[in-house]
Amino acid sequence: MEALFASTLTVAIAEIGDKTQLLALLLAVRFNNKAAIISGILLATLLNHFLAALLGQLAIAWIDPQWASYLVAGSFFAIALWVLIPDKMDDDDNRFYKLGAFAATFILFFIAEIGDKTQIATIVLAAKYQSLIWVVIGTTLGMLIANVPVVLAGHFSANKLPMKLIHQGCAVLFALLGVATLMW
């Protein structure tokens, strides 16, 4: 349960103001079919985070356990610093829009998550907890918690949220995960 809770909370907070949340807003404005957008987010995240968690577990199996905890803790500290840098939306790639709400969302979300801080966090969380299924479920829930309200609200603006405070809180959370990793 710790893996599920930590993964859900970490990604839900890290996702606020992230480029994929901005992408969810763009898709919600572009398409009326909210269920298709949410389904695309769900499946793209499940696939992307499953692959990331699998990579995290495979990578950690090759590393000496003592060094592994230092590597995981260092990764959490690096992500803590990374979340302090706000994301900006890349150029709007509308060539996928003609595929419809579901396919466009699935493709764009999957691509946007590659190398994103939530994908890196998934790799690190899977390495830390050695619980692929619970980490994937948790990180996917975290993505949905952060993105579904944006999709449903449509024109909701992340500018109304205290983004600096949210990013600082997220950085503290990742730093605490780093400290906890070193202590246990």
Side-chain angles (χ1 to χ4, degrees), residues 15-30:
E15 186 63 15
I16 297 173
D18 191 73
K19 67 183 174 190
T20 46
Q21 193 176 48
L22 299 174
L23 176 59
L25 176 61
L26 288 174
L27 291 164
V29 170
R30 173 76 169 98

